[in-house]
Amino acid sequence: MNRTHTVVLVEGISDKSAIEALAERRGRDLAAEGISLVAMGGATNIGTYIGEFGPSGRDLRLAGLCDAGEEGAFRKSLERAGLGSDLNRSDLEALGFFVCVADLEDELIRALGTATVERVVDAEGDLSSFRTLQKQPTWRGRSTHDQLRRFMGAGGGRKIRYSGPLVAALELDRVPRPLEGLLAHL
C-alpha cells in the first residue's frame, strides 16, 4: 500500500462520502494513490488539520473542499500556514482547495435537478417525509430546490446517507465544478 502523500481536508463525513463515491465512479482508488480523505468535524477545525498535515506538521500535499460560508476560515488558515497571502478563490483552487456555492448539497441538487433528486429521495424511501416538510408553513411556497436542501440538512444523518446516492445519480458530464476540480487536482 502506498504511503499517504496527499491529505484532502473536508468539513464532514458527507463531503468525504461524496468524494469517495465520485472517485470510485471514475475508477480511482484514492487510498492506493496515496491520497487520504479527512473529515474534520467542521470547518472551524481547518487550522488544526493544516498544522498537523501541512508545512509545519507532516509536510504533506494538501487539498480540500469547503462551503462558501467557510471560505474565509480556509483562506486564513492557509495564509497562516505560509501557503500564500491575500488568497482569492483562484489562488485557493491553485492550491487544491475548492469552494461549493452554498454547500455540497446545493451543488448536487443543481447538477441533478430537483426532479432527479426527488426520485433519489423516493428510492431511499423518504418521499413522504419530504412531502411533509413541503407542507410545513415555513417551507410552503419556497422553491423545491430550497426545500430539498433543507430536507438533506435536517433529520439525523441525511447528508451522509444521501451523498453516495446523489453522486451515483449524476451524469459524469454534469459533476459539480468543485468536485470535478478537486478530483482533477488530485
Side-chain angles (χ1 to χ4, degrees), residues 7 14 62-63 77 99 129 174:
V7 173
S14 63
L62 299 174
S77 291
V99 180
S129 295
R174 297 198 36 90

Side-chain angles (χ1 to χ4, degrees), residues 31-82:
E33 293 176 37
I35 299 166
S36 177
L37 300 174
V38 176
M40 302 181 299
T44 57
N45 296 320
I46 183 71
T48 300
Y49 284 93
I50 289 176
E52 180 178 344
F53 296 113
S56 67
R58 293 178 52 198
D59 199 24
L60 300 173
R61 180 175 176 238
L62 299 174
L65 186 72
C66 70
D67 299 344
E70 309 302 341
E71 182 177 358
F74 271 57
R75 181 181 293 120
K76 287 176 190 167
S77 291
L78 290 165
E79 289 173 355
R80 270 194 297 271

